[in-house]
Amino acid sequence: MKERQPIHPEREKQEILNAYRGLLRAHSSRDKEATRRIRKAFNVAVEAHKDMRRKSGEPYIYHPIAVARIAAEEIGLGTTSVICALLHDTVEDTDITLENIHSMFGPKVASIIDGLTKISGIFDATVSPQAENFRKMLLTLSDDVRVILIKLADRLHNMRTLSSMQQNKQLKIASETLYLYAPLAHRLGLYTIKSELEDLSLKYKEPSAWEEISQKLKKGKAVRQRFISRFILPIKRQLNNLNYIFEVKGRPKSVYSIWNKMRTKNVPFEEVYDLFAIRITLNVPVGAEKSECWKVYSIVTDYYKPNPDRLRDWISTPKGNGYESLHTTVMSPSGKWVEVQIRTRRMDEIAEKGYAAHWKYKTKGEKSQESGLDGWLARIRELLETSAENAIDFIDDFKMNLFTDEVYVFTPEGDLKTLPKGATALDFAFDIHTQVGQKCLGAKVNHRLMPLSHKLRSGDQVEIITSEKQSPKNDWLKFAITTKARNKIKSALKEEKKNIAAEGKEMLARKLKSLKANFNGENIDVLIRKYKTGSALELYFRIAKGNIDLKKLHKTNIAVKNGMISPVSEKKQQKNNSLEQIITRYNGTKDVLLIGDEYQKLDYTLALCCNPISGDDVFGFITVADGIKIHRATCPNATALMGNYAYRVLQAKWVSQSLKEFEASISFEGIDDLGLVNNITSVISAQQNINMKAISFESNDGIFSGKVRVLVHDTDHLDTLIVELKNVDGVHQVERLTEHL
Ligand code: MN
């Protein structure tokens, strides 16, 4: 933790003023009235926060100033947003009320501050899952998107200053950022902010990986730069000859994206070949953008051979989030593929700052500049209004829509529709109209009959065939991927379920009457618990479907007294097993779960998705059915668990216990050679106390690969074995596996 030395109050005042002036410089408007209003907001915020300090010890006001500066400088927002950012924590944390804000700054500022306050109220509560909060946050999109943009600026500044927080808080905040905020920034087209959020999250989640990659990037910088300047030399010369005004830069990949590639492709840093891209930014008039970009493409490919599979034209058809650029991958003389991005200054600003910049070019004037949102936001609003049942489902659907690339397809009339990659004919039908989706029988794709599950490709022309008799089916959820289609299908299915449940309800009412029990809320609750249906709807539905047999409900398994029923001999189940109760029980016990501590009478098991062994960085996750599960910090599920259920996460660490053994699996790869298997097995058995549980080999055209499961004491023990195996002649790669072979 960083501690700040106390400094002189006068100097502190000066520092605050300097920060404020920096903000004014960053804000593009030189309008007198705008500056006066910002000054007013600044004064109000300084006064309101005057006795507060941040965890780092610095005056609290640094934070809102920094957030306002990010909003102006890095997102390109206007005066209203700067004012709101300055005031964003006042209603939440100080004596200032919303009414005060309203009378000082008017209704628009007040409504944005209201939105921000509501979000933060929800966000600080530790009782409800993050996913639900996130949905609520997105709901405010329907009020004013500036709420979200300022919240992103707020989160970015908190991430930049995360080092002063406690370690377990750092982990939770970083996970949540990676899980929710970075994808959101991405979808809003804020690429720079998205990359920074990802990099900062990684820095706290995987400090050693982050450190290693940053160091290696730094080390290779000189070599890279030499390569880049040699590569762009002829292009530069030619562009100069043709009197272009342009800029050429080598853009390094972010630490996070390198890490991600290493992990998903399972390659070391040295094998990530596209560590950077070349970006050519042209200064040309708007009308000439497209043709000029293609001219430059032609110049680049005069010198270097392009890979025809890697041409991306997002100028003719911009991405859904507004991104425009022309990408090509060409072969350099040294035999390396290099990505070249060609765009104009306007496109570049949109790519960096996202929607805010988009509006700036679309319309003039503050009002329309920030409120004119098209396409995506309209879609988000629509799906929010149909309100998904389950928040986690919603986030998963939503995230899927965030990450996927897009396909462009046409209606029979030639209208262009943008859908996420992987979208099916059914998604297309729902995109046309809910009625078309619900009555959809099949589709003609490029005039050929195709099933509803048919995946669409860019350029397809799709005609939907409907029937009045058709209605949404459960199956459809298997291949509908857009949030809109899924929500509509789910709500239609639910409607149908409700109708069926209505019958069940009547059956139950008759049954209760015959038992001389009342049909009331208390009695229904008893039955919901007895049959573990979770809801009355589900109870009625199962009764109607015959899954719950009412004939078996009689006075031997329930007691009826004065019209009220109660369960018989199910005392055990009443023993505090709701999730909240389990959490309080565990959280009450100790700050850190000590695994292997005999005295800590908590039941935990090691998660099968990542198979931790003693010495791994781990955390505990509270489950309803199985007590505490121990996961590795690097578990593929860790981010989702922490991001969604931070309140169920326990800090955990190992206490030494030399006698216990853990199973770990290792994979290896190398050049096939006589006796290699023998060498490997003898290395393993020569290691002290290591038992092999299983081993498998495969050989393919001279390359062999294998897996082995062993019993080890801890990570040291395992690491030693891995090093020994790497030293075997012919072995190229040895790796610990997440899941057992
Ligand atoms: Mn804040």
Side-chain angles (χ1 to χ4, degrees), residues 580-595 597 599-604 620 622 628 648-652:
E580 281 71 24
Q581 282 157 330
I582 297 174
I583 291 170
T584 355
R585 204 155 75 225
Y586 287 145
N587 278 341
T589 49
K590 225 170 205 172
D591 295 340
V592 182
L593 171 67
L594 299 174
I595 309 164
D597 182 352
Y599 299 101
Q600 213 170 336
K601 293 258 180 286
L602 292 175
D603 48 337
Y604 57 82
I622 300 168
I628 303 171
R648 285 163 66 178
V649 170
L650 291 175
Q651 271 188 287

Side-chain angles (χ1 to χ4, degrees), residues 60 63 67 88-89 154 158:
Y60 193 85
H63 168 65
V67 174
H88 81 272
D89 280 330
D154 185 30
N158 286 335

Side-chain angles (χ1 to χ4, degrees), residues 69 79 150 186 207 225 237 296 323 329 332 349 368 375 417 481 493 496 529 544 571 617 624 632 649:
R69 183 159 178 171
T79 307
I150 295 168
H186 182 114
Q225 240 138 26
R237 205 177 290 146
V296 173
Y323 184 85
T329 301
S332 71
E349 199 177 340
S368 50
K417 297 272 173 196
I481 70 150
L493 290 173
E496 194 191 300
R529 253 177 280 135
K571 292 239 161 56
D617 275 343
V624 184
R632 285 160 69 183
V649 170

Side-chain angles (χ1 to χ4, degrees), residues 119 123 134-135 137-141 145 147-153 155 176-191 193-194 197-198 321 354-355 376-377 380 384 394-395 398-399 402-403:
I119 294 177
F123 263 82
F134 190 66
R135 197 168 80 84
M137 174 171 106
L138 289 172
L139 272 168
T140 58
L141 270 175
V145 72
V147 174
I148 303 295
L149 295 172
I150 295 168
K151 186 70 202 170
L152 274 170
R155 174 54 59 124
E176 189 187 294
T177 302
L178 199 56
Y179 188 69
L180 300 173
Y181 287 89
L184 183 61
H186 182 114
R187 200 55 183 89
L188 288 166
L190 300 158
Y191 286 95
I193 289 182
K194 170 219 160 208
L197 287 175
E198 285 174 343
N321 61 11
Y355 264 110
W376 183 71
L377 284 178
I380 292 297
L384 284 164
F394 170 83
I395 295 297
F398 179 77
K399 273 176 66 101
L402 286 177
F403 284 125

Side-chain angles (χ1 to χ4, degrees), residues 264-511:
T264 52
K265 298 248 155 81
N266 219 340
V267 293
F269 178 88
E270 289 68 25
E271 284 170 34
V272 178
Y273 66 95
D274 50 348
L275 290 171
F276 61 89
I278 305 277
R279 181 175 301 163
I280 304 171
T281 313
L282 303 172
N283 199 356
V284 293
V286 174
E289 284 184 316
K290 189 171 166 183
S291 60
E292 293 299 332
C293 286
W294 281 104
K295 270 185 210 157
V296 173
Y297 170 82
S298 138
I299 292 168
V300 171
T301 50
D302 278 348
Y303 291 95
Y304 305 112
K305 257 228 152 341
N307 180 339
D309 293 338
R310 309 262 334 148
L311 176 66
R312 299 283 179 273
D313 172 14
W314 285 304
I315 294 180
S316 310
T317 323
K319 283 192 186 181
N321 61 11
Y323 184 85
E324 293 172 71
S325 194
L326 187 59
H327 293 191
T328 177
T329 301
V330 299
M331 181 58 83
S332 71
S334 55
K336 251 166 96 174
W337 288 111
V338 176
E339 180 178 293
V340 181
Q341 309 174 343
I342 303 161
R343 55 172 74 159
T344 65
R345 280 256 283 271
R346 180 191 64 85
M347 296 173 188
D348 193 51
E349 199 177 340
I350 288 172
E352 304 271 302
K353 291 181 181 169
Y355 264 110
H358 207 179
W359 312 323
K360 188 172 116 194
Y361 285 102
K362 258 194 179 159
T363 44
K364 288 249 149 59
E366 163 112 354
K367 218 180 149 211
S368 50
Q369 184 190 111
E370 290 182 6
S371 60
L373 273 176
D374 43 352
W376 183 71
L377 284 178
R379 235 189 290 166
I380 292 297
R381 244 171 248 157
E382 193 183 354
L383 71 92
L384 284 164
E385 276 148 19
T386 51
S387 162
E389 272 284 278
N390 176 326
I392 303 283
D393 274 2
F394 170 83
I395 295 297
D396 285 345
D397 286 356
F398 179 77
K399 273 176 66 101
M400 193 151 106
N401 278 350
L402 286 177
F403 284 125
T404 40
D405 276 316
E406 291 157 335
V407 291
Y408 307 97
V409 291
F410 297 92
T411 67
E413 292 76 35
D415 288 340
L416 180 72
K417 297 272 173 196
T418 308
L419 292 168
K421 199 170 170 184
T424 56
L426 185 61
D427 289 306
F428 178 86
F430 274 98
D431 198 69
I432 301 275
H433 196 280
T434 307
Q435 280 303 314
V436 176
Q438 289 181 340
K439 302 284 170 209
C440 178
L441 263 188
K444 275 187 181 166
V445 178
N446 306 325
H447 306 294
R448 283 182 52 206
L449 206 55
M450 292 292 177
L452 290 175
S453 57
H454 179 74
K455 280 202 176 98
L456 300 175
R457 290 192 307 200
S458 278
D460 281 348
Q461 189 161 41
V462 189
E463 183 188 346
I464 297 297
I465 301 158
T466 59
S467 155
E468 265 316 303
K469 290 196 189 106
Q470 180 67 301
S471 68
K473 304 279 178 287
N474 240 321
D475 261 16
W476 288 10
L477 290 172
K478 286 186 197 138
F479 49 83
I481 70 150
T482 58
T483 318
K484 178 177 176 179
R486 296 182 61 84
N487 276 345
K488 296 284 184 191
I489 296 167
K490 280 182 200 162
S491 67
L493 290 173
K494 205 177 143 197
E495 200 49 45
E496 194 191 300
K497 194 170 185 177
K498 262 188 197 159
N499 292 336
I500 296 172
E503 285 171 44
K505 189 174 175 181
E506 263 173 44
M507 290 161 70
L508 181 63
R510 283 196 298 271
K511 178 75 191 182

